[in-house]
Amino acid sequence: MRCKFGVCIVRLRKRYGMEIDMNENKNAKLLTLGIAVVLILIICGISVVVHLLNRKESLSTSSMLQEDIMEYADASQEQSVTVSDIAEEEKAQEDNREEEQKEEEEPALEEEPAVIVKEEEKVPDKTIMEEAGEQASLENEPTTAKWQKEAGENLAAAEIDLPRQMSEMRGYWEAGNMEAVEDLAYLPRYRAASEKLSGTTKYYYFGDTDEKKRPNGKGLAMYADNQYYYGEWENGVRSGGGMWVKFYVYDQNAKAKDSIYLQHSYSGTWADDLPNGDGAEHYDFIDENLESNVGYNRNFIGNFKNGLYHGEIYITNYYSDGNSKEWSGAAKDGVWQPMGEKDKKGQFPVIVDLTDPDNYQWMAEKANQNNGVDGIISAAK
């Protein structure tokens, strides 16, 4: 290129100056682009880190939540088992309490039928019979005999004081005052106490006991059905010498033929809670209810085995006019031994009149069994 030196220099400067400017702009763009890329990478990196951190935290939270759920489930299961165990334990305790209460009110007959009555420390000023006499004097004269129930009688309303009642009756029994014992036995409060034992072989006991709190020695027992026993005991049962009595009570409308007995008793030797050995069975009658010219067997004296006649038995019978006859017979385990052939009715002679050897008491073979002291309440029967 032809040019003047000065002009050419200017042109060159302009040309190369433009090229320099263009390079600078290109470099600026590249730098900007690089910075942008770096920033994008940084932002992406931060996003990845944050994502990873969030995921880790989420996983950690999920794991912790799962662990919490498992722990809660385990705790709930353990708590459920604990509650169940407690419920079962409480039920067992409640059953035990009910059983203990039942034993106190109605002791198990298989273990110990005696309900021990302890003597009161305070001695009353008046006896029960004195109080009963004073009460009777304030009221109208009774219209019934002592062996008859009063109209509208309510024994549930009678006030029972077992320690006092048992103590007073035992005192009369020890003194041999059986008339007073009888008077007490017919009082409502005594009959009410006896009635509470109905349907069982349990009894109230007042007397000596052994280290196991069983009747042992001498003492008085009250049974259901107006029955009493006073005498010797051993290991919780009647054993030795003693007397059993049942006092009869009737409704006012009872027919005479159905209300002939006043008392039924046995005095003598006992073993295993039943008459065993020598003894005497006795009946007292309500004379006005007896038929004329009819003899009623009153006494059976001889040997007994588990409450049954066993051996030679001496018998007396009683008539409403006061006369009596004597008889004799032999029994084995409650079965009268025949003294001759049976008659046309199928009855055998089993008891003979001691004053007339041709006069017998007869009994059918089917009825001739378990003859002995009827009605004794005993767990041994």
Side-chain angles (χ1 to χ4, degrees), residues 21-224:
D21 290 339
M22 291 177 65
N23 289 333
E24 288 178 355
N25 290 335
K26 185 178 181 179
N27 290 334
K29 290 180 179 179
L30 291 173
L31 179 62
T32 301
L33 180 62
I35 293 172
V37 171
V38 170
L39 289 176
I40 291 171
L41 291 174
I42 291 173
I43 292 171
C44 290
I46 292 173
S47 299
V48 170
V49 172
V50 170
H51 176 70
L52 291 174
L53 289 175
N54 287 338
R55 183 179 179 185
K56 182 177 180 182
E57 183 177 357
S58 176
L59 291 174
S60 176
T61 303
S62 176
S63 177
M64 292 176 62
L65 179 59
Q66 183 67 20
E67 291 179 0
D68 290 342
I69 292 173
M70 293 300 295
E71 289 179 359
Y72 178 79
D74 292 340
S76 298
Q77 183 177 6
E78 182 179 356
Q79 181 69 15
S80 176
V81 172
T82 302
V83 170
S84 176
D85 291 342
I86 292 174
E88 291 181 1
E89 183 177 354
E90 289 180 349
K91 185 177 185 301
Q93 292 177 353
E94 182 65 24
D95 292 342
N96 289 337
R97 283 195 295 269
E98 292 179 357
E99 186 66 23
E100 289 175 358
Q101 183 178 2
K102 183 178 179 180
E103 288 178 356
E104 291 177 0
E105 297 175 354
E106 297 184 0
L109 304 182
E110 297 79 5
E111 297 179 359
E112 182 52 62
V115 179
I116 306 299
V117 179
K118 296 182 179 179
E119 187 170 8
E120 290 181 336
E121 296 181 0
K122 183 179 179 180
V123 179
D125 297 330
K126 299 178 182 179
T127 67
I128 293 175
M129 287 201 301
E130 287 174 340
E131 290 182 355
E134 291 180 0
Q135 184 65 26
S137 65
L138 297 175
E139 299 174 352
N140 296 328
E141 288 294 325
T143 58
T144 60
K146 62 183 177 181
W147 40 265
Q148 286 182 319
K149 299 177 182 179
E150 291 287 343
E153 178 181 81
N154 181 16
L155 292 182
E159 296 183 3
I160 299 173
D161 187 347
L162 273 177
R164 183 182 178 189
Q165 292 174 213
M166 299 291 283
S167 177
E168 185 166 15
M169 178 174 277
R170 177 178 174 174
Y172 286 125
W173 217 308
E174 287 179 342
N177 188 348
M178 295 308 296
E179 183 178 353
V181 169
E182 178 183 314
D183 289 339
L184 288 177
Y186 282 112
L187 291 177
R189 69 186 71 183
Y190 278 84
R191 292 192 288 114
S194 175
E195 191 173 78
K196 288 184 175 295
L197 300 169
S198 295
T200 74
T201 57
K202 293 183 299 182
Y203 55 90
Y204 298 124
Y205 176 79
F206 185 88
D208 303 329
T209 58
D210 60 14
E211 66 280 359
K212 295 182 180 180
K213 302 300 180 183
R214 298 177 302 180
N216 198 81
K218 216 165 194 179
L220 171 68
M222 173 194 290
Y223 297 81

Side-chain angles (χ1 to χ4, degrees), residues 254-267:
K255 296 180 180 180
K257 65 177 182 178
D258 297 325
S259 56
I260 63 174
Y261 298 109
L262 183 64
Q263 296 176 26
H264 181 198
S265 64
Y266 168 84
S267 298

